[in-house]
Amino acid sequence: AQSVAQPEDQVNVAEGNPLTVKCTYSVSGNPYLFWYVQYPNRGLQFLLKYITGDNLVKGSYGFEAEFNKSQTSFHLKKPSALVSDSALYFCAVRDTYTGGFKTIFGAGTRLFVKA
Amino acid sequence: EPEVTQTPSHQVTQMGQEVILRCVPISNHLYFYWYRQILGQKVEFLVSFYNNEISEKSEIFDDQFSVERPDGSNFTLKIRSTKLEDSAMYFCASSATGTPNEKLFFGSGTQLSVL
């Protein structure tokens, strides 16, 4: 069965410092991996996705994510955090083997960037 | 960027009452979804809908739940007899083609409180 784990409920980082939000996944086949962000009173917004190819994926707002097949991880990164990056971040996966229409989400990690 | 809209933003109801949550997906999208998030827990898939029928549903989506596209723009989730455990944030989402590598567009959610 597909699953996603985000081991940290909250990540705290100072503005200007690099940030990492962790995600690991489990699928039967090859994964399609996504990161979404949720700002207060807004719906989830797409940040980036990994389909195939280069393991380092670049997305919106300067975010990037690194796919690591051996560690089944897809950590979200940014070289220099901004206060405005403070939000709730969700990792998600779809399994290419089982197909279907559902995207499986993690529980979310709250990022707090301090000025 | 086009948006998915959901109404109402908050809904309070008594246990046993019926509720209808409403969504207007992006106009040229063909696949529609409902997800929910109980406070502090994962975003959970409920149902996907295509061509006026359910394409996939989770074990959560039992006989108390139904979905409908009553006209060319709205997509609704009905809970026939609400339970306390139905209290959650309900998100509607849509996608253009339903392919696994495609991002989802989410509404800002309806917070349902069952008393």
Side-chain angles (χ1 to χ4, degrees):
Chain A
Q2 307 165 65
S3 67
V4 175
Q6 293 182 244
E8 302 152 316
D9 291 334
Q10 181 164 315
V11 170
N12 299 309
V13 64
E15 188 174 33
N17 283 359
L19 69 88
T20 298
V21 182
K22 295 180 180 177
C23 171
T24 58
Y25 66 90
S26 176
V27 296
S28 301
N30 292 317
Y32 291 139
L33 293 157
F34 304 81
W35 276 100
Y36 288 81
V37 60
Q38 185 182 28
Y39 298 102
N41 302 315
R42 301 289 300 274
L44 281 71
Q45 298 175 36
F46 170 80
L47 269 182
L48 51 79
K49 65 181 178 182
Y50 170 81
I51 305 302
T52 186
D54 195 348
N55 290 341
L56 186 64
V57 178
K58 294 189 183 297
S60 307
Y61 313 120
F63 283 93
E64 56 191 27
E66 187 169 11
F67 171 66
N68 186 316
K69 187 172 183 178
S70 62
Q71 297 185 5
T72 61
S73 66
F74 189 57
H75 300 333
L76 181 70
K77 300 182 179 185
K78 187 173 182 180
S80 179
L82 300 172
V83 172
S84 57
D85 292 331
S86 298
L88 189 57
Y89 291 81
F90 292 94
C91 182
V93 66
R94 284 187 75 168
D95 188 344
T96 60
Y97 178 73
T98 58
F101 296 91
K102 59 184 177 186
T103 301
I104 302 299
F105 287 83
T109 298
R110 188 164 298 280
L111 174 66
F112 181 71
V113 181
K114 184 178 179 181
Chain B
E1 190 170 68
E3 289 187 345
V4 174
T5 58
Q6 289 185 244
T7 56
S9 55
H10 294 83
Q11 175 88 50
V12 181
T13 189
Q14 295 292 322
M15 188 170 55
Q17 295 296 304
E18 175 183 287
V19 294
I20 297 176
L21 309 183
R22 302 181 191 279
C23 170
V24 179
I26 293 170
S27 61
N28 62 345
H29 283 187
L30 301 178
Y31 287 79
F32 315 119
Y33 312 83
W34 284 100
Y35 284 80
R36 78 174 187 188
Q37 185 180 29
I38 296 171
L39 186 64
Q41 298 184 25
K42 295 183 179 185
V43 175
E44 299 174 296
F45 170 80
L46 293 178
V47 65
S48 60
F49 189 87
Y50 168 71
N51 199 26
N52 281 319
E53 60 183 32
I54 291 173
S55 46
E56 188 172 359
K57 62 182 181 179
S58 72
E59 58 276 8
I60 302 169
F61 195 88
D62 61 21
D63 292 344
Q64 292 298 313
F65 291 88
S66 62
V67 289
E68 188 179 28
R69 188 156 164 83
D71 53 42
S73 59
N74 290 284
F75 178 52
T76 62
L77 174 69
K78 181 192 291 186
I79 309 174
R80 290 190 182 81
S81 178
T82 50
K83 307 182 185 71
L84 296 176
E85 55 264 35
D86 293 329
S87 296
M89 178 71 86
Y90 287 80
F91 293 106
C92 174
S94 69
S95 64
T97 64
T99 53
N101 62 357
E102 187 183 25
K103 68 182 181 182
L104 301 177
F105 290 79
F106 282 85
S108 56
T110 294
Q111 180 66 55
L112 176 64
S113 298
V114 181
L115 306 179

